[in-house]
Amino acid sequence: MKTTADPLPHIVVLGAGFAGLAFAQKFPAGLARLTVVDRQNHHLFQPLLYQVAAAGLAAVDIAQPTRAILRRVPNLTVLMGDVTAIDLAGKRVQHTRGELIYDYLVLALGGLTSYFGHPEWEQFAPGLKTLDDALRIRRKVLMAYEQAEAQADEARRKELMTTVVVGGGPTGVELAGTFSELARTVLRRDFDHIDPRKARVILIEGGPRVLAAFPEDLSASAQRQLEHLGVEVRLGQHVKEIRANEVEMPTGEIIRAGNIIWAAGVGAVPLTRTLGLETDRAGRLKVLPDLSLPGHPEVFATGDLAALVDANGVTVPGVAQGAMQMGAHAARLIAAELRVRERTAPDRPAFAYHDKGNMATLGRSAAVAQIGNLHFSGYPAWLAWLGLHLVFLLGFRNKISVLVQWIYSYFTYKRGARIITGVSGEKSAGSA
Amino acid sequence: MKTTADPLPHIVVLGAGFAGLAFAQKFPAGLARLTVVDRQNHHLFQPLLYQVAAAGLAAVDIAQPTRAILRRVPNLTVLMGDVTAIDLAGKRVQHTRGELIYDYLVLALGGLTSYFGHPEWEQFAPGLKTLDDALRIRRKVLMAYEQAEAQADEARRKELMTTVVVGGGPTGVELAGTFSELARTVLRRDFDHIDPRKARVILIEGGPRVLAAFPEDLSASAQRQLEHLGVEVRLGQHVKEIRANEVEMPTGEIIRAGNIIWAAGVGAVPLTRTLGLETDRAGRLKVLPDLSLPGHPEVFATGDLAALVDANGVTVPGVAQGAMQMGAHAARLIAAELRVRERTAPDRPAFAYHDKGNMATLGRSAAVAQIGNLHFSGYPAWLAWLGLHLVFLLGFRNKISVLVQWIYSYFTYKRGARIITGVSGEKSAGSA
């Protein structure tokens, strides 16, 4: 509304995930006016989302209000709204609460769970991208044990106590490990008619090993640790079909399961396909080496919706550090241009991904970590994982709260968030 | 299923609120087999529910899994299920997962928000009885400020920033105080286009004073403290009509408000009216002095669904201490009968309510408390309130977590649970 009267250029940032926040926080004050649009009122610390699903953490522990994070950034407005259309030619963004005109645009809307052309599987095998996803999975898994306790039929009981996780990437192994632990330690003594230690957790991965992005020795270690936690790991198997409480394997085998969780695919938000630009199979925008869109030097794509082989020939992975580095790169680049008041493309610096390492946690004292040429497993990797995630989690209150929960769970073998909410809401929404 | 083979008598407890839990915990081991049925998987600490609604606490902080609480009680089964019918003559209870046959029955299902014959008001003015209610109110209140920020129309903006609380009992004053504080301190610096300090919170009470159950000087003090926090208190006014975002007063005045919250009435669960027994206007069962139902010495009604003038002529109030005392009374009485193996009615001891005092908190350093003849206000009452609620909150983890949140909020003027969840769920459920 105030665009024409305002002398400062206007940068619109779509999304307040890792990429969008990094941009807003790295962009030097005074050079432009920023508007950050997000459909949620909070930044979500996705790496801990699986712990909310597994009843270890409260939803609010891993989220931080976007307004609170960016409160001290001058010339910045936060808007809560859904982006509905982007007009690249007219430099306009439509969202549910109005329209924005930009001089620069930073796309950082992230990804969605992708079902590889089987959208109908979503209703039977939810994914894990948002807090609501996590709370839905928590509810379903905890409810399955409650239903099993009151169930006289042995086959149905077994089915309710079986969880299938599809996809052996970081999210998949973390979910499988923590659900196995939930049954074997946390719920162990709570029921009269069922023995939660008999619960089955099956992890299905299409490739030849879990954690394909990790070195081979760590993949093997992760698999051993998962099996030690009671997870059945099935490699080299793609699921053929998913129906209600049923996974069909290529061999024709049918696995009946009270819970099926999809952790096999992430795609960019559908909006990327509406721009008339080239995308990869997952819908990610193919960006130029500087992260800008071909033909639109004023538009940058960052994080999970950008596809890029970087200056060193590395395919930038869809992880938090990649998104943060991309956001920071775009911020530096736009700031440099605004300082000299001219567009420097095509001579802009190319983005180069700096891999700081990789970690995944599997359960209590169980993890794998790779930092440069160093490979860790088990307890040391787990400690490193805990420390790093506490450091990167935003918000002092959240850090303290998560630390308290972790210490509590470590010593008591309990989980503090074993609370089922939203049952009536689910009902009225028409699902089970 | 095992009823006939089991030599121990079977006591069925319906509800795991304060009354039901007190019964299960006070009942001596070895005298009977207990089954506790509740529609939730958790016991809810209702006195802190308003802080979840006001984004101060996480939902899981004030709830504790019923199974975890009662894990160590021998001969006790917990079932999660909705009670659908009670057959007093046949001594049977139907619930969503099966049927139970009892020797003794303890009704402790609690209450519901009551709209005094205006059930259509519920959709416009939600009540606060469950965690889902609290999360819904939190979402709506936080969303109203987000919408106001993006709203160009001044009148609509004012409306969004107005909250009406109907009912001046403890829940009503606590909600009004905390919502006024939320706007004036917590959200104050977070928006560009609106000034949350201009938010209006209006408390409407039909009677001549707030907190009618308290001594008059404390009612007056509570009102002063509320007004100091910025709440507009309107006494002696019943609302005439509630519509979407609109409250009509008897004078014809229309108050437009983005949020209307109903804290004016509690009634017993509707099941009480299906038993063919006498109930009061709120649906509470009129019990005999020993808490049993007329003609059914094996059935006891406790907590919010029982109406009783006790042995000292005191109407037992619908508060946690009343419910806990009733549960404990029924436990002692049944245990005594089982020990002598005969029914002692009509010579059973009558229930006598022991009033340990009353407190309500209004905001930061603002509260009223009455213990015997001692009346406190302000800071000392607030400290007493904090301490007592921490002591009575169940679960070590919850105590620590709540204490951390309170200390954090006290020093930072922030609230850790300012996270909006369930927006998509709301949409698909067809509401705003």
Side-chain angles (χ1 to χ4, degrees), chain A residues 41-42 58 60 67 71 76-77 80 132 143 146 189-192 397 405 408 416 418-420 422, chain B residues 41-42 58 60 67 71 76-77 80 132 143 146 189-192 397 405 408 416 418-420 422:
Chain A
N41 83 325
H42 54 266
V60 299
R67 296 190 183 283
R71 178 187 284 160
L76 182 143
T77 298
M80 187 177 166
D132 289 321
M143 278 298 284
E146 296 291 341
R189 291 161 303 181
D190 279 4
F191 294 88
D192 294 312
R397 189 209 73 94
Q405 315 285 345
Y408 168 83
R418 269 175 55 203
I419 304 301
I420 301 175
Chain B
N41 82 325
H42 53 267
V60 299
R67 295 188 184 285
R71 178 187 284 161
L76 183 143
T77 299
M80 186 175 167
D132 288 322
M143 278 299 283
E146 296 291 340
R189 293 160 301 181
D190 279 3
F191 294 89
D192 295 311
R397 190 210 72 95
Q405 315 284 345
Y408 168 83
R418 269 174 56 204
I419 304 301
I420 301 175

Side-chain angles (χ1 to χ4, degrees), chain B residues 136-208:
Chain B
R136 187 160 51 235
I137 290 175
R138 178 201 291 177
R139 177 164 58 235
K140 260 200 92 184
V141 170
L142 293 179
M143 278 299 283
Y145 288 95
E146 296 291 340
Q147 288 163 350
E149 171 81 350
Q151 179 60 250
D153 180 57
E154 182 64 22
R156 175 73 183 135
R157 220 189 251 192
K158 274 193 179 153
E159 175 186 321
L160 284 164
M161 290 170 66
T162 301
T163 302
V164 172
V165 178
V166 185
T171 302
V173 301
E174 288 173 340
L175 281 171
T178 194
F179 280 130
S180 188
E181 259 194 357
L182 179 73
R184 272 150 217 268
T185 64
V186 182
L187 301 177
R188 187 163 55 96
R189 293 160 301 181
D190 279 3
F191 294 89
D192 295 311
H193 301 293
I194 59 169
D195 181 356
R197 282 171 301 179
K198 293 191 180 151
R200 284 176 79 192
V201 177
I202 304 166
L203 179 68
I204 301 175
E205 162 60 36

